[in-house]
Amino acid sequence: MEHADFTRSLREQYDALRALIAATDLTSPVPTCPGWTVEALARHVARTHAWSIRAALTPPDTTSPPRPEEGPEDWSELLDWWDERFTELLRVLTTEDPSRPSWTFIGPGAVSFWARRQTHETAVHRLDAEHASHAALGTDVPVLLFPPDLAADGVDEYLTTMLTRQHLTKPNELSGRAVLHAADASRSWLLRLTPGEAPEVGPLEGSAVDEDVTAAGTADSLYRLVWARPSHAVVTGRGDLLRALPRP
Protein backbone atom coordinates (compact mmCIF):
# COMPACT_ATOMS: atom_id res chain seq x y z
CA MET A 1 0.00 0.00 0.00
CA GLU A 2 1.14 3.57 -0.73
CA HIS A 3 1.10 6.53 1.66
CA ALA A 4 -2.08 7.91 0.07
CA ASP A 5 -3.76 4.53 0.52
CA PHE A 6 -3.04 4.64 4.23
CA THR A 7 -4.37 8.15 4.73
CA ARG A 8 -7.52 7.23 2.83
CA SER A 9 -7.97 4.03 4.83
CA LEU A 10 -7.30 5.90 8.07
CA ARG A 11 -10.17 8.27 7.28
CA GLU A 12 -12.47 5.34 6.45
CA GLN A 13 -11.64 3.40 9.61
CA TYR A 14 -12.00 6.49 11.78
CA ASP A 15 -15.40 7.29 10.32
CA ALA A 16 -16.57 3.72 10.95
CA LEU A 17 -15.23 3.77 14.50
CA ARG A 18 -16.78 7.13 15.35
CA ALA A 19 -20.16 5.98 14.02
CA LEU A 20 -20.02 2.88 16.22
CA ILE A 21 -19.02 4.95 19.27
CA ALA A 22 -21.93 7.31 18.68
CA ALA A 23 -24.43 4.45 18.33
CA THR A 24 -23.33 2.29 21.28
CA ASP A 25 -23.95 2.73 25.01
CA LEU A 26 -20.74 4.14 26.51
CA THR A 27 -20.95 1.71 29.42
CA SER A 28 -21.10 -1.34 27.14
CA PRO A 29 -18.16 -3.71 27.71
CA VAL A 30 -15.69 -4.34 24.90
CA PRO A 31 -15.39 -8.15 24.78
CA THR A 32 -12.08 -8.06 22.89
CA CYS A 33 -10.48 -5.68 25.42
CA PRO A 34 -11.32 -7.14 28.85
CA GLY A 35 -12.03 -4.47 31.43
CA TRP A 36 -12.69 -1.75 28.87
CA THR A 37 -15.96 0.00 28.14
CA VAL A 38 -16.83 1.75 24.89
CA GLU A 39 -15.96 5.05 26.55
CA ALA A 40 -12.52 3.75 27.60
CA LEU A 41 -11.93 2.52 24.05
CA ALA A 42 -12.79 5.93 22.61
CA ARG A 43 -10.55 7.74 25.09
CA HIS A 44 -7.65 5.43 24.26
CA VAL A 45 -7.89 5.97 20.51
CA ALA A 46 -8.38 9.73 20.90
CA ARG A 47 -5.24 9.95 23.06
CA THR A 48 -3.29 7.82 20.59
CA HIS A 49 -4.29 10.00 17.65
CA ALA A 50 -3.23 13.12 19.54
CA TRP A 51 0.10 11.56 20.54
CA SER A 52 0.80 10.49 16.96
CA ILE A 53 0.68 14.10 15.76
CA ARG A 54 3.55 14.91 18.12
CA ALA A 55 5.39 11.72 17.19
CA ALA A 56 5.18 12.35 13.45
CA LEU A 57 6.62 15.85 13.90
CA THR A 58 9.37 14.85 16.33
CA PRO A 59 12.90 14.61 14.86
CA PRO A 60 14.33 11.07 14.91
CA ASP A 61 17.39 12.10 16.93
CA THR A 62 15.40 13.62 19.79
CA THR A 63 16.45 12.92 23.36
CA SER A 64 12.89 13.57 24.56
CA PRO A 65 10.36 11.21 22.97
CA PRO A 66 6.85 12.66 22.54
CA ARG A 67 4.59 12.39 25.55
CA PRO A 68 0.86 11.56 25.44
CA GLU A 69 -1.67 14.39 25.52
CA GLU A 70 -4.67 13.83 27.76
CA GLY A 71 -8.09 14.86 26.52
CA PRO A 72 -10.90 16.58 28.47
CA GLU A 73 -12.74 14.64 31.15
CA ASP A 74 -16.16 15.80 29.94
CA TRP A 75 -17.45 13.35 27.34
CA SER A 76 -18.91 15.85 24.88
CA GLU A 77 -15.75 17.95 25.11
CA LEU A 78 -13.66 14.84 24.57
CA LEU A 79 -15.51 14.01 21.34
CA ASP A 80 -14.93 17.51 19.99
CA TRP A 81 -11.28 17.32 21.04
CA TRP A 82 -10.91 13.91 19.38
CA ASP A 83 -12.43 15.17 16.13
CA GLU A 84 -10.07 18.16 16.18
CA ARG A 85 -7.02 16.02 16.93
CA PHE A 86 -7.92 13.54 14.21
CA THR A 87 -8.41 16.34 11.68
CA GLU A 88 -4.98 17.68 12.63
CA LEU A 89 -3.42 14.21 12.40
CA LEU A 90 -4.83 13.72 8.92
CA ARG A 91 -3.63 17.20 7.90
CA VAL A 92 -0.10 16.42 9.05
CA LEU A 93 -0.05 13.06 7.30
CA THR A 94 -1.39 14.46 4.04
CA THR A 95 0.63 17.68 3.85
CA GLU A 96 4.02 16.66 5.25
CA ASP A 97 6.49 14.92 2.95
CA PRO A 98 5.97 11.17 3.68
CA SER A 99 9.75 10.67 3.56
CA ARG A 100 10.47 13.41 6.10
CA PRO A 101 12.57 11.91 8.95
CA SER A 102 10.54 11.23 12.08
CA TRP A 103 10.87 9.64 15.48
CA THR A 104 9.32 6.18 15.85
CA PHE A 105 9.30 3.71 18.73
CA ILE A 106 11.53 1.29 16.80
CA GLY A 107 14.18 3.80 15.77
CA PRO A 108 14.54 6.53 13.13
CA GLY A 109 11.78 6.45 10.53
CA ALA A 110 9.63 8.74 8.43
CA VAL A 111 6.23 10.42 8.54
CA SER A 112 4.89 7.55 6.40
CA PHE A 113 5.45 5.22 9.39
CA TRP A 114 2.72 7.05 11.30
CA ALA A 115 0.19 6.92 8.47
CA ARG A 116 0.56 3.15 8.42
CA ARG A 117 0.66 2.73 12.21
CA GLN A 118 -2.42 4.85 12.88
CA THR A 119 -4.37 3.21 10.08
CA HIS A 120 -3.92 -0.16 11.75
CA GLU A 121 -4.34 1.20 15.28
CA THR A 122 -7.69 2.65 14.23
CA ALA A 123 -8.77 -0.41 12.23
CA VAL A 124 -8.09 -2.86 15.06
CA HIS A 125 -9.98 -0.70 17.53
CA ARG A 126 -12.77 -0.25 15.01
CA LEU A 127 -13.02 -4.06 15.17
CA ASP A 128 -13.18 -3.83 18.97
CA ALA A 129 -16.04 -1.35 18.67
CA GLU A 130 -17.79 -3.72 16.26
CA HIS A 131 -17.60 -6.48 18.88
CA ALA A 132 -18.95 -4.17 21.57
CA SER A 133 -21.79 -2.95 19.37
CA HIS A 134 -22.82 -6.38 18.12
CA ALA A 135 -22.56 -7.91 21.60
CA ALA A 136 -24.95 -5.24 22.86
CA LEU A 137 -27.36 -6.06 20.02
CA GLY A 138 -26.92 -9.82 20.29
CA THR A 139 -25.74 -10.12 16.69
CA ASP A 140 -22.59 -11.45 15.03
CA VAL A 141 -19.70 -9.31 13.86
CA PRO A 142 -19.37 -9.43 10.03
CA VAL A 143 -16.84 -12.01 8.86
CA LEU A 144 -15.24 -9.61 6.37
CA LEU A 145 -14.69 -6.01 7.44
CA PHE A 146 -11.31 -5.18 5.96
CA PRO A 147 -10.21 -5.16 2.29
CA PRO A 148 -7.56 -7.82 1.52
CA ASP A 149 -4.81 -5.29 0.83
CA LEU A 150 -5.37 -3.43 4.10
CA ALA A 151 -5.70 -6.61 6.16
CA ALA A 152 -2.61 -8.22 4.61
CA ASP A 153 -0.58 -5.09 5.29
CA GLY A 154 -1.86 -5.19 8.86
CA VAL A 155 -0.51 -8.72 9.26
CA ASP A 156 2.81 -7.58 7.82
CA GLU A 157 2.97 -4.53 10.09
CA TYR A 158 2.28 -6.63 13.17
CA LEU A 159 4.97 -9.18 12.28
CA THR A 160 7.66 -6.73 11.13
CA THR A 161 7.01 -3.70 13.34
CA MET A 162 5.02 -4.47 16.45
CA LEU A 163 6.92 -7.66 17.32
CA THR A 164 10.14 -5.66 16.91
CA ARG A 165 8.78 -3.04 19.30
CA GLN A 166 8.04 -5.68 21.90
CA HIS A 167 11.47 -7.28 21.52
CA LEU A 168 13.14 -3.91 22.19
CA THR A 169 11.34 -3.58 25.53
CA LYS A 170 11.12 -7.27 26.47
CA PRO A 171 13.44 -9.63 24.55
CA ASN A 172 11.75 -12.47 22.75
CA GLU A 173 11.64 -15.74 24.70
CA LEU A 174 9.71 -17.83 22.17
CA SER A 175 11.12 -20.49 19.89
CA GLY A 176 9.56 -21.86 16.70
CA ARG A 177 8.50 -21.21 13.13
CA ALA A 178 5.10 -19.99 11.99
CA VAL A 179 3.76 -19.82 8.45
CA LEU A 180 0.81 -17.58 7.61
CA HIS A 181 -1.11 -17.69 4.32
CA ALA A 182 -3.57 -14.98 3.22
CA ALA A 183 -5.19 -16.63 0.21
CA ASP A 184 -7.24 -13.68 -1.05
CA ALA A 185 -4.23 -11.34 -0.92
CA SER A 186 -1.69 -13.80 -2.38
CA ARG A 187 0.59 -13.12 0.62
CA SER A 188 2.52 -15.52 2.82
CA TRP A 189 4.93 -14.97 5.70
CA LEU A 190 7.48 -17.11 7.52
CA LEU A 191 8.10 -16.03 11.12
CA ARG A 192 11.20 -17.41 12.86
CA LEU A 193 11.45 -17.03 16.62
CA THR A 194 14.67 -17.65 18.55
CA PRO A 195 15.00 -16.86 22.28
CA GLY A 196 16.95 -13.67 22.87
CA GLU A 197 16.92 -12.67 19.21
CA ALA A 198 14.72 -10.27 17.28
CA PRO A 199 11.92 -12.01 15.33
CA GLU A 200 12.82 -12.75 11.71
CA VAL A 201 10.09 -12.30 9.11
CA GLY A 202 10.26 -12.96 5.40
CA PRO A 203 8.23 -14.24 2.47
CA LEU A 204 7.61 -17.93 2.20
CA GLU A 205 10.00 -19.36 -0.37
CA GLY A 206 9.21 -22.20 -2.73
CA SER A 207 11.12 -24.84 -0.78
CA ALA A 208 9.52 -26.83 2.01
CA VAL A 209 9.59 -25.35 5.52
CA ASP A 210 9.58 -27.35 8.72
CA GLU A 211 7.10 -25.07 10.48
CA ASP A 212 5.65 -25.56 13.95
CA VAL A 213 2.32 -23.92 13.16
CA THR A 214 0.44 -22.81 10.07
CA ALA A 215 -2.40 -20.29 9.92
CA ALA A 216 -4.41 -19.92 6.72
CA GLY A 217 -7.48 -18.01 5.64
CA THR A 218 -8.53 -14.65 4.31
CA ALA A 219 -6.29 -11.68 5.02
CA ASP A 220 -9.11 -10.36 7.21
CA SER A 221 -9.08 -13.52 9.34
CA LEU A 222 -5.27 -13.46 9.72
CA TYR A 223 -5.37 -9.77 10.65
CA ARG A 224 -7.73 -10.60 13.49
CA LEU A 225 -5.67 -13.64 14.47
CA VAL A 226 -2.33 -11.88 14.89
CA TRP A 227 -4.03 -9.20 16.98
CA ALA A 228 -5.65 -11.88 19.17
CA ARG A 229 -9.18 -11.04 18.09
CA PRO A 230 -11.81 -13.73 17.29
CA SER A 231 -10.91 -15.18 13.90
CA HIS A 232 -11.99 -17.83 11.38
CA ALA A 233 -8.41 -18.56 10.29
CA VAL A 234 -7.56 -22.27 10.19
CA VAL A 235 -4.66 -23.04 12.52
CA THR A 236 -2.78 -26.34 12.38
CA GLY A 237 0.12 -27.35 14.60
CA ARG A 238 1.23 -25.42 17.66
CA GLY A 239 -1.58 -22.92 18.09
CA ASP A 240 -0.10 -22.12 21.49
CA LEU A 241 2.87 -20.50 19.73
CA LEU A 242 0.60 -17.98 17.99
CA ARG A 243 -1.37 -17.37 21.15
CA ALA A 244 1.87 -16.61 23.00
CA LEU A 245 2.90 -13.83 20.62
CA PRO A 246 2.94 -10.45 22.41
CA ARG A 247 0.25 -7.88 21.58
CA PRO A 248 1.42 -4.34 22.34
Side-chain angles (χ1 to χ4, degrees):
M1 292 177 64
E2 301 295 331
H3 184 76
D5 298 322
F6 286 119
T7 56
R8 181 174 61 253
S9 293
L10 175 57
R11 171 89 260 180
E12 292 170 353
Q13 296 305 317
Y14 175 76
D15 287 344
L17 172 60
R18 279 288 279 111
L20 287 162
I21 296 296
T24 308
D25 188 323
L26 296 180
T27 63
S28 295
V30 182
T32 47
C33 297
W36 282 21
T37 62
V38 169
E39 180 177 352
L41 174 66
R43 289 185 179 277
H44 168 79
V45 182
R47 185 169 58 250
T48 302
H49 285 163
W51 175 72
S52 296
I53 299 169
R54 296 182 175 185
L57 297 176
T58 297
D61 58 353
T62 183
T63 58
S64 301
R67 298 180 63 83
E69 178 183 359
E70 297 297 331
E73 285 297 321
D74 180 80
W75 175 248
S76 61
E77 291 180 8
L78 176 82
L79 287 181
D80 290 341
W81 179 81
W82 184 12
D83 289 337
E84 291 169 0
R85 296 285 79 73
F86 179 78
T87 298
E88 177 63 12
L89 172 63
L90 205 59
R91 186 197 66 77
V92 168
L93 296 178
T94 54
T95 60
E96 292 289 333
D97 181 350
S99 64
R100 172 183 168 178
S102 171
W103 178 90
T104 83
F105 47 68
I106 59 171
V111 168
S112 58
F113 173 95
W114 291 104
R116 187 190 199 198
R117 173 82 290 273
Q118 286 313 299
T119 294
H120 294 304
E121 176 79 10
T122 308
V124 170
H125 287 313
R126 175 263 179 104
L127 176 59
D128 293 329
E130 293 276 2
H131 277 282
S133 175
H134 285 272
L137 295 172
T139 55
D140 294 329
V141 175
V143 174
L144 292 174
L145 284 176
F146 305 111
D149 59 342
L150 173 65
D153 186 82
V155 175
D156 190 81
E157 196 237 14
Y158 171 78
L159 296 174
T160 62
T161 300
M162 304 311 286
L163 284 184
T164 298
R165 178 190 189 185
Q166 285 298 101
H167 177 71
L168 291 174
T169 57
K170 183 180 180 182
N172 170 60
E173 298 178 352
L174 301 175
S175 177
R177 293 187 176 190
V179 169
L180 297 91
H181 295 282
D184 57 342
S186 300
R187 295 283 301 274
S188 296
W189 299 264
L190 172 60
L191 170 65
R192 298 181 179 89
L193 297 167
T194 303
E197 298 182 11
E200 295 181 39
V201 182
L204 186 64
E205 304 296 342
S207 57
V209 174
D210 185 20
E211 69 268 22
D212 297 288
V213 60
T214 299
T218 62
D220 179 289
S221 67
L222 292 182
Y223 193 19
R224 301 178 193 216
L225 179 71
V226 297
W227 279 104
R229 267 62 175 182
S231 167
H232 291 286
V234 177
V235 177
T236 55
R238 284 188 53 201
D240 63 298
L241 181 61
L242 291 179
R243 290 191 293 273
L245 291 175
R247 274 76 183 188

